[in-house]
Amino acid sequence: MGYTIESAQSIFSNTQVPSPIPATLALFEQLSVDDKLALLWYVYTEMGRSVTPAAVGAARLQFAEGLLQEIRKLSQPDQLQVMRDLANRADTPASRSYGFFSVNTKLAFWYELGELMKQGIVAPMPAGYKISKGIQVVLDTIKQLDAGQQITVLRNAVVDMGFSSTAIPTSAATSAEPLFQRAEPAPAKIAVEGITEPTVLSYLEALNKDDFEAALALFTPDGALQPPFQKPLIGKEAIGRYMRAEAQGLNILPQQGISESLPDGSKQVKVTGIVQTPWFGVNVGMNISWRFLLNPQGNIFFVAIDMLASPQELLSLRPV
Ligand code: ECH
């Protein structure tokens, strides 16, 4: 098969509409550190009502427990300083510990800190805090996004915090994390309008069962998976590590797709649908597309997962 990962990245490229998420995060980055924390507080307390508390199992918090205990012991000004250091990615011991957390442990850490803030145990938002002009601009931008995009902005803001001296993604550090509890059972059998490729259906079904070994078996040895807004992860080891850390408990509800055979017998397949994260369960659906390049034997050489710019894109299934 005469493809490279680079050429595979551009399959179905004309169905890709630029996502507003990177632009929103770039605006967020320009805020001062206190404005960043305040903005996250406003957005999260608005959205936070829909977090499924079951997702934040005690097991998941155990990785963050040490740091949370230390923060509890600090004075309120020092607690605020730790939060500022995290948001500033300062090189401090707390910020370094945080940098080693996996994505889900980072989210669980802030979830718990938010609960402690609500209880007044950790420095809460000062009463009568006045929203700055800068916050208002970012807040208005975030309000335009759909719920799935809003939680992606929150997630990425949290993931980017803390100090990490290595280029290795932090999720690589903790592959032995406990499983996520599914709020709702995922559909076991998948039927996607327009799609008969067994590999694609098996991939989606494997993820719904958290059966990452079965999903990995579908890839070629040099296959790649490109998560939303990230570079491709190449090879089964990297993909497996990533899936075990970040793909647990997802409910995948694909809707439709198109498939095209290429002259050399390989196929490109695009599927669109909804993905629910265990963090928000059925409360938030993310509009997602998968772009697969299958080799002539039907193995996955490349799959890109993209957040759709709008629900209209669910229906945007043009070839090329
Ligand atoms: C407080 C104030 C101070 C600062 C902060 C605060 C707390 C904030 C909190 C935020 C919590 C946010 C959460 C966000 C969760 C988002 C989850 C998302 C998941 C997306 C997953 C996708 C998966 C796609 C995939 C598929 C595949 O086929 C392959 C694998 C994979 C308020 C204290 C910070 C608490 C909980 C967006 C799209 C489909 C690529 C994984």
Side-chain angles (χ1 to χ4, degrees):
M1 195 171 62
Y3 292 103
T4 60
I5 289 175
E6 211 177 8
S7 63
Q9 281 177 299
S10 61
I11 57 170
F12 297 108
S13 63
N14 71 345
T15 65
Q16 303 300 304
V17 175
S19 163
I21 292 170
T24 309
L25 284 163
L27 275 181
F28 171 78
E29 265 312 310
Q30 289 172 25
L31 295 177
S32 69
V33 66
D34 283 359
D35 279 359
K36 278 185 183 168
L37 292 171
L39 176 98
L40 290 166
W41 174 262
Y42 286 120
V43 175
Y44 177 71
T45 45
E46 262 306 296
M47 298 243 20
R49 271 177 276 133
S50 51
V51 170
T52 320
V56 199
R60 184 158 300 283
L61 271 175
Q62 97 197 13
F63 296 97
E65 204 47 62
L67 187 53
L68 284 165
Q69 287 300 345
E70 280 172 38
I71 294 176
R72 271 169 174 263
K73 285 189 229 140
L74 299 175
S75 67
Q76 294 217 335
D78 288 348
Q79 291 174 335
L80 182 58
Q81 192 53 46
V82 172
M83 291 193 242
R84 286 181 176 140
D85 289 342
L86 292 173
N88 268 334
R89 306 178 189 103
D91 185 2
T92 64
S95 199
R96 278 184 178 245
S97 311
Y98 181 92
F100 282 112
F101 291 168
S102 70
V103 168
N104 283 316
T105 302
K106 286 177 177 162
L107 292 169
F109 166 85
W110 280 109
Y111 172 84
E112 186 61 17
L113 221 49
E115 293 302 301
L116 297 173
M117 284 166 86
K118 282 183 207 156
Q119 295 163 28
I121 296 170
V122 165
M125 284 290 296
Y129 185 91
K130 243 182 127 354
I131 293 196
S132 73
K133 190 97 199 306
I135 296 186
Q136 195 58 58
V137 171
V138 186
L139 211 50
D140 289 344
T141 312
I142 292 178
K143 279 189 192 150
Q144 312 289 314
L145 304 178
D146 68 40
Q149 293 168 330
Q150 290 176 342
I151 65 166
T152 306
V153 168
L154 270 179
R155 177 189 179 280
N156 290 13
V158 165
V159 169
D160 283 346
M161 288 183 184
F163 183 83
S164 109
S165 53
T166 58
I168 304 163
T170 51
S171 53
T174 43
S175 53
E177 283 209 31
L179 292 174
F180 252 112
Q181 204 71 44
R182 274 196 165 76
E184 295 272 318
K189 266 272 157 243
I190 287 219
V192 189
E193 202 188 312
I195 299 298
T196 51
E197 280 68 25
T199 307
V200 169
L201 300 174
S202 302
Y203 170 89
L204 299 169
E205 280 171 8
L207 284 192
N208 269 342
K209 284 189 275 189
D210 291 340
D211 187 349
F212 304 123
E213 289 308 314
L216 282 177
L218 301 165
F219 283 81
T220 64
D222 56 349
L225 180 143
Q226 179 178 296
F229 312 112
Q230 288 185 42
K231 292 201 201 89
L233 299 153
I234 302 165
K236 293 193 190 204
E237 204 197 313
I239 299 172
R241 214 186 300 125
Y242 174 82
M243 282 186 170
R244 281 186 291 273
E246 299 207 25
Q248 285 177 32
L250 297 177
N251 276 9
I252 294 184
L253 312 163
Q255 294 177 343
Q256 51 221 315
I258 54 167
S259 161
E260 290 188 330
S261 296
L262 302 170
D264 67 347
S266 53
K267 275 184 179 172
Q268 55 183 47
V269 180
K270 180 174 171 179
V271 175
T272 58
I274 308 291
V275 174
Q276 296 162 348
T277 148
W279 283 103
F280 293 90
V282 293
N283 298 330
V284 180
M286 292 174 280
N287 301 318
I288 298 280
S289 86
W290 293 261
R291 293 178 290 131
F292 292 89
L293 184 59
L294 307 178
N295 73 5
Q297 291 73 43
N299 292 314
I300 304 173
F301 174 66
F302 178 79
V303 56
I305 294 97
D306 299 300
M307 299 277 311
L308 299 179
S310 69
Q312 286 87 313
E313 300 303 313
L314 286 169
L315 300 170
S316 166
L317 288 168
R318 276 164 285 134
V320 185

